[in-house]
């Protein structure tokens, strides 16, 4: 059963990393989300009691969270809600966890800088070892190695125009995605 949820709130703890028995990384932190409302009797804005969630980020997302998120940051978390009960010698209770699919800074309250990470050799095959798939073959005359003016290979194919067998861009402002 999947319960999708998006939470906007403040990070309450610095991310903590653990390595699971299978070797995957798990990073957890706590987030507090609360609503504000205007109290007409007091004539002021009031913060409601916060709801606390434990956020779990696995593998690469966990690594990125560990490098990017700090206590006090205002973030947006999207993932799946998990509610579980627990019991120990001190009592019993209910925990609310979010298995994160995406985490980012809330740009309504500040700025952030993004840098895309490069894939490592262990995460993907070497480009030299990889054979291009038929859908990735470069059409003739579009930079299959001999063209000095060719654009770098990106994995996108150039569409053929309807009136010709030679490749041509459909429009100069077309985006390949």
């Amino acid at each position: 059963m999947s319960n999708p949820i998006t939470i906007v709130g403040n990070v309450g703890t610095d991310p903590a990393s653990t390595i699971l028995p299978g070797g995957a990384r798990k990073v957890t932190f706590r987030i507090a989300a609360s609503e504000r409302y205007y109290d007409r009797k007091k004539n002021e804005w009031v913060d409601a009691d916060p709801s606390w969630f434990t956020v779990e980020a696995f593998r690469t997302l966990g690594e990125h969270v560990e490098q990017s998120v700090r206590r006090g940051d205002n973030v947006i978390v999207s993932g799946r809600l998990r509610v579980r009960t627990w019991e120990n010698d001190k009592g019993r209770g209910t925990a609310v966890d979010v298995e994160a699919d995406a985490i980012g800074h809330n740009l309504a309250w500040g700025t952030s800088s993004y840098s895309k990470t490069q894939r490592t050799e262990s995460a993907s095959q070497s480009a030299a070892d990889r054979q291009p798939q038929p859908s990735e073959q470069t059409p003739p005359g579009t930079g299959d190695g001999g063209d000095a003016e060719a654009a770098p290979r990106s994995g996108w194919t150039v569409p053929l125009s309807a009136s010709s067998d030679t490749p041509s861009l459909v429009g100069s402002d077309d985006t390949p995605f």
Side-chain angles (χ1 to χ4, degrees):
M1 183 163 123
S2 178
N3 296 312
I5 188 170
T6 300
I7 300 169
V8 178
N10 292 315
V11 177
T13 60
D14 281 324
S17 178
T18 57
I19 303 297
L20 300 175
R25 179 181 307 269
K26 174 182 163 184
V27 175
T28 61
F29 63 91
R30 301 272 291 157
I31 184 173
S34 63
E35 293 187 31
R36 294 191 87 192
Y37 63 92
Y38 189 76
D39 187 338
R40 293 180 188 218
K41 293 178 184 175
K42 294 180 182 179
N43 202 28
E44 64 184 17
W45 285 96
V46 178
D47 288 321
D49 290 335
S51 297
W52 285 91
F53 302 88
T54 298
V55 177
E56 300 174 327
F58 294 92
R59 298 174 190 77
T60 305
L61 178 60
E63 292 174 22
H64 295 166
V65 165
E66 193 173 27
Q67 295 171 11
S68 305
V69 174
R70 299 287 172 257
R71 182 178 180 199
D73 288 355
N74 192 274
V75 295
I76 301 171
V77 177
S78 178
R80 290 174 302 284
L81 185 67
R82 308 257 191 257
V83 179
R84 59 184 171 82
T85 57
W86 56 268
E87 185 174 346
N88 61 21
D89 56 341
K90 296 181 182 179
R92 53 193 318 186
T94 303
V96 183
D97 301 335
V98 177
E99 186 177 328
D101 293 324
I103 301 170
H105 287 105
N106 184 353
L107 298 181
W109 298 102
T111 62
S112 187
S113 178
Y114 174 80
S115 61
K116 186 173 181 176
T117 58
Q118 298 297 319
R119 294 183 72 125
T120 62
E121 285 297 314
S122 62
S124 64
Q125 293 179 352
S126 164
D129 297 339
R130 187 173 159 265
Q131 295 296 321
Q133 300 300 316
S135 63
E136 296 176 330
Q137 296 290 335
T138 306
T142 60
D144 56 359
D147 283 345
E149 301 174 349
R153 291 260 332 239
S154 65
W156 296 104
T157 58
V158 179
L160 297 176
S161 67
S163 62
S164 166
D165 288 338
T166 60
S168 65
L169 293 177
V170 174
S172 61
D173 61 339
D174 283 350
T175 305
F177 50 89

